[in-house]
């Protein structure tokens, strides 16, 4: 029985349904990161030249500070027990500038750590007003000065907009605290409105395409879809040919897709681990993510560069859509890229890296780097037809590009003054997205999605524009 073909309208409806399903899945995975972003202001006062005051029933220690965030993620203060078995209760309160208590928690003094941080869990996930002063108040009860614990403060430190007071009298220094905040994001509360607007725009455009197709009109998108439908067999054959040719007469064959990233990672790990391993969490995984992404970029652009020139005999004899050749080279490299993800998963398991639901966001980064490489291949292949020196220049540019990408080093070593230029590298955004999803187990902030989309789409549009403008003159220069 002949299988019924899906109509164009049915395909558009399926695409629209897929969009809304992905919107729901994205919210389920990344909802928290769409509402909050880690604040730049982080308060941390370690112990150094420290002092301590006993917190019995007659003494109160107060530390005021100015906060710029919208939510307190964690708050801890350092306690001192003098190495003895104390008794009584220590009470911690967080109050606003008007004196209203926002959070309070009590601790048994005999369970407090000696010279260690005590988490103020009652203040976690507490909404606050940005740009206001708050007070952390510590006091004790049911104890004596000989059996009371203390809070540790640093005598030379200060907190922004803060003052340290003991029984209402100011004293020099700042309480040893560790405080992290988050800033509220506009995108989270408006996620569904934004997703709905994009969905309506997509539905309107698909409806427009359906009307165009029904009326027999042509356009860029419809022409591309028709060409893909007509030449998909040729595209599949070219992808298979490129992939098989890569390992022709090789003893290990396709196993090199697994071995190449592992061997590259091993060499770079030996060279750079002593330099960066203390600064980077799970350095083998960090390194391998950068290696597999850059290897795909380097291979696909290198193969795409020669795609039109190498197929000159075919182009001069029969009509074939010329963009199929760079597209097939990138897709064959993408198959190799997908195989290289297997060693990455193996290294994840070996190193004990915990996989979270954010791992499901990895296909977004893969799709963006694929689109980016497709644009670069179109751009380079068109330039190569007219300027054969491009192949030699590209060898130098790819080396510079490798060192400009955080493959084996942390981005923190880049001076802040150069970060704006540094972030113009599209690979930086794709690799950073993948590392946040895998290593940190969280979704990147909303703007990271936008940066990845722009870094992928802009090169693709530039590549398409140059390729379309010059393709009619390819035959004269091959």
């Amino acid at each position: 029985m002949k299988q019924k073909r899906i109509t164009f309208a049915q395909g558009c409806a399926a695409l629209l349904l897929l969009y809304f399903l992905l919107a729901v899945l994205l919210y389920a995975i990344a909802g928290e990161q769409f509402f909050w972003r880690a604040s730049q202001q982080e308060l941390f006062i370690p112990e150094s030249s420290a002092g301590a005051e006993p917190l019995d029933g007659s003494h109160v220690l107060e530390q005021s500070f100015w906060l710029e965030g919208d939510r307190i993620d964690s708050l801890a203060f350092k306690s001192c027990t003098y190495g003895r078995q104390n008794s009584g209760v220590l009470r911690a309160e967080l109050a606003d500038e008007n004196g209203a208590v926002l959070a309070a928690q009590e601790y048994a003094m005999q369970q407090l750590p000696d010279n260690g941080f005590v988490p103020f869990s009652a203040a976690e996930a507490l909404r606050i007003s940005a740009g206001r002063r708050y007070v952390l108040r510590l006091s004790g009860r049911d104890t004596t000065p000989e059996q009371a614990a203390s809070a540790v403060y640093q005598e030379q430190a200060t907190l922004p907009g803060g003052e340290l007071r003991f029984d209402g009298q100011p004293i020099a220094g700042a309480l040893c605290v560790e405080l992290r905040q988050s800033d509220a994001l506009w995108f989270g509360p408006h996620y569904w409105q934004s997703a709905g607007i994009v969905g309506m725009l997509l539905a309107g455009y698909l409806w427009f395409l359906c009307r165009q197709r029904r009326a027999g009109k042509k356009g860029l998108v419809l022409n591309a879809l028709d060409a893909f439908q007509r030449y998909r067999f040729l595209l599949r054959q070219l992808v298979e040919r490129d992939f098989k040719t890569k390992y022709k007469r090789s003893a290990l064959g396709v196993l090199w897709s697994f071995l190449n990233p592992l061997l590259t990672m091993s060499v770079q790990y030996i060279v750079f681990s002593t330099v960066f391993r203390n600064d980077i969490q799970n350095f083998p995984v960090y390194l391998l993510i950068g290696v597999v992404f850059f290897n795909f970029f380097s291979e696909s652009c290198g193969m795409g560069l020669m795609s039109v020139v190498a197929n000159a005999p075919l182009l001069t004899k029969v009509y074939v859509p010329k963009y199929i050749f760079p597209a097939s080279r990138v897709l064959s490299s993408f198959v190799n890229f997908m195989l290289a993800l297997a060693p990455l998963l193996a290294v994840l398991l070996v190193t004990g890296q915990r996989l979270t639901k954010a791992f499901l966001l990895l296909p977004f980064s893969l799709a963006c780097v694929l689109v980016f490489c497709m644009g670069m291949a179109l751009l380079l292949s068109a330039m190569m037809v007219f300027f054969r020196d491009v192949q030699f220049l590209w060898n130098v540019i790819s080396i510079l590009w490798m060192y400009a990408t955080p493959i084996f080093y942390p981005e923190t070593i880049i001076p802040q003054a150069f970060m704006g230029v540094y972030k113009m590298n599209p690979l930086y955004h794709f690799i950073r997205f993948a590392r946040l999803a895998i290593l940190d187990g969280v979704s990147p902030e909303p703007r990271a999605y936008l940066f990845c989309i722009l870094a992928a789409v802009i090169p693709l549009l530039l590549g398409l524009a140059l390729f379309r403008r010059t393709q009619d003159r390819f035959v004269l220069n091959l």
Side-chain angles (χ1 to χ4, degrees):
M1 183 177 181
K2 188 176 180 179
Q3 187 176 2
K4 186 178 179 181
R5 293 180 61 182
I6 298 177
T7 64
F8 184 78
Q10 290 173 336
C12 290
L15 179 61
L16 190 62
L17 177 61
L18 177 63
Y19 164 77
F20 284 107
L21 290 176
L22 290 176
V24 173
L25 179 62
L26 179 60
Y27 187 83
I29 296 173
E32 176 70 13
Q33 282 69 43
F34 287 169
F35 283 88
W36 302 99
R37 177 182 59 200
S39 176
Q40 297 294 326
Q41 184 192 28
E42 181 178 315
L43 306 182
F44 179 61
I45 305 295
E47 181 181 353
S48 176
S49 183
E53 301 291 348
L55 297 174
D56 57 11
S58 58
H59 298 295
V60 177
L61 187 64
E62 295 178 313
Q63 173 66 66
S64 59
F65 42 81
W66 191 271
L67 296 181
E68 297 294 341
D70 298 295
R71 185 183 72 173
I72 294 177
D73 292 328
S74 65
L75 174 59
F77 57 91
K78 184 169 282 189
S79 65
C80 175
T81 65
Y82 305 99
R84 66 193 181 197
Q85 191 73 18
N86 297 308
S87 62
V89 175
L90 175 68
R91 180 176 176 82
E93 295 178 347
L94 181 67
D96 61 17
E97 57 188 3
N98 299 318
V101 177
L102 305 177
Q105 189 171 349
E106 293 187 342
Y107 309 85
M109 289 194 180
Q110 61 181 355
Q111 297 179 354
L112 293 176
D114 188 21
N115 199 34
F117 278 100
V118 180
F120 189 5
S121 56
E124 293 178 3
L126 179 68
R127 292 293 300 266
I128 57 177
S129 299
R132 290 192 178 183
R133 183 175 285 105
Y134 293 86
V135 178
L136 177 61
R137 185 180 299 117
L138 302 175
S139 60
R141 62 178 174 85
D142 301 333
T143 185
T144 63
E146 294 77 17
Q147 293 183 310
S150 302
V152 181
Y153 63 90
Q154 188 182 122
E155 295 174 344
Q156 286 81 30
T158 58
L159 288 174
E163 185 181 40
L164 183 63
R165 288 178 173 268
F166 186 69
D167 290 341
Q169 300 299 317
I171 58 177
L175 194 67
C176 292
V177 295
E178 190 178 64
L179 188 145
R180 292 182 175 86
Q181 314 169 70
S182 291
D183 298 326
L185 297 175
W186 173 90
F187 188 72
H190 301 88
Y191 176 83
W192 291 114
Q193 294 95 319
S194 303
I197 291 173
V198 174
M200 287 189 292
L201 292 175
L202 177 62
Y205 184 67
L206 293 176
W207 176 77
F208 171 75
L209 290 179
C210 288
R211 287 196 61 183
Q212 265 195 322
R213 191 176 184 87
R214 195 178 299 115
K217 297 180 180 180
K218 295 295 182 180
L220 177 63
V221 175
L222 290 177
N223 288 340
L225 291 175
D226 289 339
F228 175 78
Q229 178 70 19
R230 185 181 305 172
Y231 294 100
R232 61 180 180 178
F233 175 77
L234 174 61
L235 180 61
R236 183 169 63 249
Q237 293 298 315
L238 290 174
V239 171
E240 291 179 0
R241 183 202 66 180
D242 293 338
F243 185 75
K244 292 177 180 178
T245 303
K246 180 180 176 66
Y247 299 110
K248 188 177 182 180
R249 297 184 181 179
S250 170
L252 296 180
V254 75
L255 285 178
W256 281 113
S257 296
F258 304 94
L259 293 176
N260 258 330
L262 286 177
L263 293 175
T264 305
M265 182 211 69
S266 300
V267 172
Q268 293 186 346
Y269 180 81
I270 294 171
V271 175
F272 298 110
S273 61
T274 56
V275 180
F276 300 118
R277 66 180 176 186
N278 294 326
D279 301 325
I280 300 176
Q281 174 193 0
N282 200 342
F283 185 66
V285 174
Y286 179 94
L287 178 60
L288 190 54
I289 293 173
V291 167
V292 295
F293 270 78
F294 189 84
N295 281 356
F296 167 59
F297 163 73
S298 179
E299 181 185 51
S300 60
C301 290
M303 293 176 63
L305 174 72
M306 300 295 299
S307 58
V308 175
V309 174
N311 287 282
L314 181 60
L315 284 172
T316 55
K317 290 181 174 62
V318 295
Y319 172 77
V320 179
K322 300 172 183 64
Y323 61 82
I324 280 185
F325 297 108
S328 67
R329 294 294 177 91
V330 174
L331 290 175
S332 65
S333 296
F334 190 71
V335 173
N336 196 45
F337 180 39
M338 297 301 292
L339 293 175
L341 294 179
L344 175 60
L345 183 59
V347 174
L348 284 171
L349 298 176
V350 170
T351 57
Q353 178 67 40
R354 186 173 64 92
L355 296 181
T356 66
K357 61 182 181 181
F359 189 81
L360 297 176
L361 298 173
L362 186 60
F364 175 81
S365 184
L366 302 182
C368 287
V369 74
L370 173 62
V371 172
F372 166 67
C373 291
M374 193 71 72
M376 288 295 298
L378 290 169
L379 191 68
L380 292 171
S381 61
M383 293 173 62
M384 182 62 185
V385 173
F386 302 97
F387 308 101
R388 302 303 168 95
D389 293 340
V390 170
Q391 58 185 317
F392 307 111
L393 290 173
W394 179 248
N395 291 334
V396 178
I397 293 173
S398 61
I399 294 174
L400 293 175
W401 207 318
M402 180 185 70
Y403 287 108
T405 305
I407 299 174
F408 49 80
Y409 60 85
E411 62 182 85
T412 53
I413 69 173
I414 304 299
Q416 195 62 34
F418 297 101
M419 282 304 295
V421 178
Y422 187 76
K423 290 181 179 180
M424 294 179 67
N425 178 3
L427 288 178
Y428 163 82
H429 298 286
F430 307 142
I431 294 174
R432 177 179 177 270
F433 189 102
R435 283 171 174 163
L436 284 172
I438 296 174
L439 289 173
D440 294 350
V442 298
S443 165
E445 65 277 10
R447 62 183 180 181
Y449 290 84
L450 178 62
F451 290 155
C452 284
I453 292 173
L454 292 177
V457 172
I458 291 176
L460 177 64
L461 294 178
L462 292 175
L464 283 171
L466 180 64
F467 199 90
R468 288 189 64 196
R469 187 171 182 177
T470 59
Q471 64 177 342
D472 292 337
R473 290 182 283 136
F474 283 177
V475 177
L476 301 176
N477 292 271
L478 287 175

